Structure formats: C-alpha cells, structure tokens
Amino acid sequence: MKFCKKYEEYMEKQCQNKKLPRVGIKKLKKILKRCRRCHQSTHSFASVSADTNSTNNVHDSSTCSHHQCTVCDGSFFPSLLKEMSEVVGSFNKRAQRLLGLHLSSGFRKYLILLKERIQGNHIALVQEGKDLVTYAIINAIAVRKILKKYDKIHYSKQGQAFKSQAQSMHIEILQSPWLCELMAFHINLRENKEKNGKALALFDGCFLAFNEGKPSLTCELFDSIKLDIDLTCSICLDTVFDPVSLTCGHIFCYICACKGASVTIVDGLQAANPKEKCPLCREEGVYEGAVHLEELNILLSRSCSEYWKERLQTERVERLRLAKEHWESQCRAFIGV
C-alpha cells in the first residue's frame, strides 16, 4: 500500500471521534502535479529554443535551472507551513494535558486515581499516549515524503532548506520535547506493568539504549524511520540530570542550562535574556519555552540508579552553594555594599 493511502486511512480513523489537524498530502500532491505539467511544457519549449539558438550561437536563459518555482511556491510552502504549525500545536497541547494527568500529585492525583477505577480511564490514557506518538511519527513521515517529492520534481534543495526553516521556527514535530516525554512515559508504564505482572499494549519499538555507557532514547516505527535522542549533556558531558529541553530540541541538565543562559537556579530559565543562545546550535530565544522532562527524569533515575545517587549528592551541594551565592549577592545589593 502506498504511503499516501495509508496516511489518509490512518487520519480518517483518528478523526472519527475528534477532529485533528493533518498534512494535506493529497492537496500538496495536486499542486506538484500541476507544476510538473507546467515544467514539462516549459522544458519542451526550452528544448526547441535551445536547438534554434544553438544554430545562431545565442544563449537562452529559459534553459537554465531555477532554484525557485513561480508555479507552486506561492501555495505549496505556505500551505505546508500552516499545516505543520497546526499539527505540532495540537500534538503539544494534547501531550501536555495527558502527561499533566499522569504526573499530577497530591489531592488531584487521588481524585484522578479514583476516577480511573470507576470509569476505567487508565487504559484510555495509555491508548491516547500511543496514538499521540503514532500521530507525531506518521505526520513527520508525510512531511518528509512531500518535501522529497518537491525536490525531485524541481531538481532543487528547496525542500531541505524549508525543513531547516521549520526547525528554526520550532514546528518540526520530531523536535518537540513532548515527544521525548511520551516515549519515556511509555517505557515507564511498561516497566511498571512488567513488575506488577500485568500485560499492556505498549510500543515495543520505544526503549532506552546504552552505547558505551551513554544512554539514548530510541523509537523505531513506521516506514523504517528511527528516532534517536541523545541523553548526554553537551556541557558537562554526563548523562542529563534533572533534564530540560530547550525550544530548539536540545536537552541539558537544569544547572548546565542555567549556566548556559547566564542565570541562577533561583531565577530559573524564564529569566534568561532573549538574546542568549543554545550552547549547541547557537540559536537565540530558546530558553523561555524550556520544558522540564519529568517522565525522562523518572526513567533515568530508575535505569541509572548508582549514577543517580552519586549525582544527587553532588547536585545538592552545588545547588546549595549557588543558592547561597545568589542570596548573598541580593543582600549586598539591597544594603548597597
């Protein structure tokens, strides 16, 4: 079965109960088809002109390749940009709500547990998490395939350039920190159910892998696409501790991210200057929307227990030192010393 048909069938099934944004792959293909016909007619005309001009030793600019297409660029890229933005917005909102329910604490947690027992909503939450990961992956493949088709028709790299632009605008769905959190959520649930001896339909393709002691989050789903998320902090070069994901998609330890943003742990990443850059990709304005990866934190604390105990002790000492320095500087500023 061709991917386009598989994608449409999947989205139709998902949209039976709720309306979800999607990549209009059929509409975009029609635009490219119209563009291909125009290119073919132009190419035929150019060939005739080239034969005529070769006789007269005249160069015709219509035979030169162009990087931009006037036929479809005005509708293709704006449509795709709008659809990608809607898809990632919907995904982030739904994933945030789902994980908020799962990670709730205190009185709210007891209310949710009671409601689950009465209505059997736990399985529904797990299924929704599974559907969300599938939704993210299949839409990422749809975008990849339609951009590849664009480049093939136009003999250009505009599709790749657009993908880079989408990443800088934070509308690339595989870049979303909530996808990383959902993967960790599934692994945590699977481990809990295995301990309790209960079977639950979760992704077999999502797992935490270790290569020479360095962890990575891996997901293998659909059309041979493989998602690898490196869990080594590029600042301290250790496994991320109390991980946060910046809006550019890069993951750091919380303390390391604060150092990179030139803020204290007391003020937090929200206080970072908008001009501060990601230590890895050097993109500006990535700290304000940083996400604390709670599910990933739980997963790593279970999987790297010895490292976690050692790091927890050193982290406590470091945080106390940084907090003390912060308040001492505040006091000196207050009394004018």
Side-chain angles (χ1 to χ4, degrees):
M1 185 189 295
K2 287 187 176 181
F3 175 78
C4 184
K5 189 174 180 183
K6 188 193 296 184
Y7 177 78
E8 291 297 330
E9 285 182 1
Y10 170 80
M11 290 306 301
E12 287 298 327
K13 186 179 177 182
Q14 288 296 306
C15 292
Q16 284 178 359
N17 300 323
K18 49 197 163 189
K19 191 174 181 181
L20 297 174
R22 64 168 82 182
V23 176
I25 199 164
K26 278 189 175 179
K27 179 185 71 178
L28 294 170
K29 274 191 169 185
K30 283 180 181 177
I31 294 172
L32 291 179
K33 194 174 180 181
R34 187 172 70 245
C35 180
R36 177 183 280 174
R37 285 199 300 265
C38 183
H39 267 264
Q40 285 171 349
S41 60
T42 305
H43 181 70
S44 300
F45 174 76
S47 299
V48 173
S49 300
D51 291 339
T52 307
N53 291 334
S54 62
T55 309
N56 299 324
N57 295 322
V58 178
H59 176 70
D60 188 352
S61 61
S62 64
T63 61
C64 298
S65 60
H66 294 276
H67 293 290
Q68 291 186 335
C69 173
T70 54
V71 179
C72 65
D73 280 13
S75 54
F76 180 86
F77 287 124
S79 295
L80 184 56
L81 194 69
K82 182 173 179 289
E83 288 159 2
M84 286 177 70
S85 182
E86 288 173 353
V87 165
V88 77
S90 172
F91 170 79
N92 287 345
K93 188 176 178 181
R94 291 170 63 205
Q96 193 171 359
R97 184 191 64 81
L98 174 69
L99 293 166
L101 289 173
H102 184 247
L103 292 169
S104 55
S105 58
F107 184 65
R108 186 166 180 252
K109 184 174 183 178
Y110 288 110
L111 282 176
I112 291 169
L113 286 171
L114 181 63
K115 191 176 179 182
E116 283 178 359
R117 287 188 178 181
I118 295 170
Q119 299 180 356
N121 281 348
H122 185 68
I123 295 173
L125 283 176
V126 172
Q127 185 58 44
E128 186 178 352
K130 185 176 179 179
D131 289 342
L132 275 171
V133 177
T134 309
Y135 176 75
I137 299 289
I138 202 167
N139 275 287
I141 297 169
V143 171
R144 185 186 69 177
K145 284 189 174 290
I146 199 69
L147 289 176
K148 192 175 178 182
K149 193 172 185 70
Y150 178 95
D151 282 348
K152 186 178 178 181
I153 288 172
H154 296 85
Y155 303 100
S156 73
K157 293 185 179 179
Q158 283 292 104
Q160 291 179 25
F162 174 81
K163 192 174 181 181
S164 299
Q165 182 192 353
Q167 288 174 347
S168 67
M169 294 172 68
H170 312 134
I171 57 170
E172 165 60 66
I173 200 163
L174 295 182
Q175 197 181 13
S176 171
W178 298 108
L179 180 58
C180 176
E181 275 288 81
L182 280 172
M183 289 163 64
F185 163 77
H186 277 286
I187 298 168
N188 287 333
L189 279 180
R190 186 168 63 221
E191 289 179 355
N192 287 341
K193 295 303 172 182
E194 284 172 358
K195 285 179 183 177
N196 297 332
K198 295 179 182 179
L200 197 63
L202 292 167
F203 281 132
D204 294 328
C206 279
F207 54 91
L208 183 67
F210 288 88
N211 184 16
E212 297 180 355
K214 300 293 184 182
S216 64
L217 209 55
T218 302
C219 191
E220 295 176 350
L221 288 171
F222 298 113
D223 200 49
S224 71
I225 193 169
K226 184 178 179 181
L227 181 63
D228 273 320
I229 301 172
D230 185 20
L231 300 179
T232 301
C233 175
S234 59
I235 296 176
C236 66
L237 303 179
D238 269 328
T239 299
V240 287
F241 183 88
D242 191 15
V244 290
S245 175
L246 308 185
T247 53
C248 57
H250 294 121
I251 300 172
F252 302 94
C253 308
Y254 178 70
I255 283 186
C256 294
C258 287
K259 288 176 181 176
S262 303
V263 294
T264 66
I265 58 169
V266 179
D267 291 330
L269 295 174
Q270 301 298 323
N273 189 309
K275 290 186 178 180
E276 291 291 343
K277 298 176 182 179
C278 168
L280 204 58
C281 66
R282 310 306 297 163
E283 185 180 335
E284 292 184 355
V286 293
Y287 291 99
E288 188 179 355
V291 176
H292 247 105
L293 304 177
E294 303 290 350
E295 287 284 354
L296 181 60
N297 199 47
I298 294 168
L299 175 61
L300 289 172
S301 65
R302 289 175 177 176
S303 305
C304 316
S305 55
E306 290 301 318
Y307 164 76
W308 217 253
K309 286 176 185 176
E310 292 176 11
R311 185 72 186 264
L312 192 60
Q313 289 177 355
T314 57
E315 196 85 1
R316 280 174 180 166
V317 173
E318 181 69 7
R319 290 194 179 210
L320 282 171
R321 184 185 68 80
L322 292 171
K324 185 180 177 182
E325 285 180 1
H326 171 78
W327 290 117
E328 282 178 352
S329 66
Q330 292 292 312
C331 288
R332 285 195 297 269
F334 179 74
I335 61 176
V337 176

